[in-house]
Amino acid sequence: MPLFLAVLGLVGLITFMTPFTSLVCLATAIGVYAATPQPKPPAGVIQPEASPPVWMTDLIGYTVGIPLFTMALVGLTYGDRMIGAWTGLLAFPACFCLPIFLIAIRQKTSWVRFFGNGFEFAEMGLKTRVRYVDLESAVVREWQTGNAFVRALGSLGFMSRQKVALLSGSDHSRTLVFTRKDGTQLAVSSEVIPDLQRVLIGMDRAGVELPHGFGERERVKIRKKRERMYRQSEVPQEALSPREQAKKIAALLDQSKFGHLKGEGS
């Protein structure tokens, strides 16, 4: 809507509108953009800071679309056949503003949230839940993301629901790439994860091999911490001695009997 109003105001200024009416169209375009509600991500999600910022990405889109669409429409409407044909071709590069706007939308509506047994990510507002046991692989990649313009253009390659990238704004990123068995990929910068160790412990507890790229020393540290955190809950019944198993069964029976008597008394 802001793009349409801005083009209408400029075309009208050159052709059939008064300067005041054209100015009203341009002011309305700015007002509509400023008043557009911003989506709020759920609590506890990870949403890397957009680079370039969303407002700058939008500005690039308007800078491309508004003048090119304006010249194309003016040439087609008021130029002769030859001029109209040449200026009409400007509509094709003007359409490049649409994927630029999609980059901004994606930056505002994409996030990831980690749980004990997996994670959930949203791409263009659509949510997908992934359990660690459903992963085919997890690797660590060193990404040289380049400057802001290169990162913005690179985002065009992640518009598919099968490939989602949530990268930090830095030029270099140590990125975790999770690949599900159906081919879906999620790449997220490790430096934006507030508790990376807990994520790795959850993967190790689910029986998933820790991402390639972590040294053996880090793997041992993760496993030791997992054993300290979940020692009691992860001890299988078969690992207990016969005497310990008998004590555990007797305790459960006593607890059940106490609950039954308490129910009768009430």
Side-chain angles (χ1 to χ4, degrees):
M1 183 60 70
L3 177 66
F4 169 77
L5 289 172
V7 172
L8 177 63
L10 291 178
V11 172
L13 178 64
I14 298 173
T15 57
F16 62 93
M17 284 185 183
T18 63
F20 176 77
T21 307
S22 177
L23 185 61
V24 169
C25 286
L26 295 175
T28 304
I30 297 173
V32 169
Y33 177 79
T36 302
Q38 300 294 323
K40 294 183 179 180
V45 304
I46 300 170
Q47 192 175 34
E49 184 178 352
S51 179
V54 173
W55 67 267
M56 185 177 295
T57 304
D58 283 337
L59 181 61
I60 294 172
Y62 290 125
T63 303
V64 171
I66 291 175
L68 293 180
F69 275 127
T70 299
M71 288 187 289
L73 289 175
V74 171
L76 286 172
T77 305
Y78 292 95
D80 56 28
R81 181 174 299 180
M82 182 64 66
I83 295 177
W86 282 105
T87 56
L89 294 176
L90 294 175
F92 292 101
C95 291
F96 186 67
C97 69
L98 301 180
I100 296 177
F101 291 143
L102 282 178
I103 293 175
I105 295 172
R106 179 186 172 277
Q107 290 173 334
K108 293 294 291 185
T109 59
S110 300
W111 47 260
V112 63
R113 174 167 50 184
F114 288 94
F115 302 96
N117 63 343
F119 55 88
E120 180 184 42
F121 68 89
E123 170 73 357
M124 303 291 284
L126 299 177
K127 301 177 184 178
T128 302
R129 184 73 180 266
V130 180
R131 299 182 304 166
Y132 290 133
V133 293
D134 296 330
L135 293 176
E136 181 179 353
S137 65
V139 298
V140 177
R141 291 179 181 171
E142 303 289 338
W143 280 23
Q144 295 288 344
T145 54
N147 57 36
F149 180 72
V150 173
R151 282 194 296 272
L153 291 180
S155 298
L156 292 175
F158 291 97
M159 288 301 175
S160 170
R161 288 277 298 153
Q162 292 294 107
K163 290 187 177 182
V164 182
L166 298 173
L167 305 179
S168 65
S170 59
D171 294 342
H172 176 269
S173 175
R174 194 184 192 198
T175 306
L176 288 175
V177 182
F178 302 96
T179 303
R180 204 164 62 170
K181 293 177 182 177
D182 64 356
T184 302
Q185 283 189 353
L186 170 68
V188 55
S189 296
S190 60
E191 55 266 22
V192 304
I193 302 177
D195 196 351
L196 177 60
Q197 194 174 63
R198 185 170 292 275
V199 173
L200 298 176
I201 289 173
M203 293 178 59
D204 192 56
R205 192 184 180 199
V208 180
E209 185 178 358
L210 294 180
H212 300 291
F214 285 94
E216 188 60 30
R217 185 177 179 182
E218 293 176 280
R219 293 169 182 266
V220 172
K221 187 187 300 184
I222 291 297
R223 292 193 177 100
K224 285 183 177 179
K225 186 164 185 179
R226 185 208 72 188
E227 291 172 0
R228 288 197 303 268
M229 292 175 62
Y230 301 101
R231 182 180 293 117
Q232 301 257 344
S233 60
E234 291 185 346
V235 175
Q237 186 73 16
E238 295 77 5
L240 299 175
S241 66
R243 185 175 180 180
E244 290 173 333
Q245 290 184 31
K247 286 183 177 180
K248 188 172 182 179
I249 293 173
L252 292 174
L253 290 174
D254 289 342
Q255 186 177 2
S256 177
K257 185 177 179 181
F258 176 76
H260 179 68
L261 293 175
K262 187 177 179 181
E264 289 182 349
S266 60

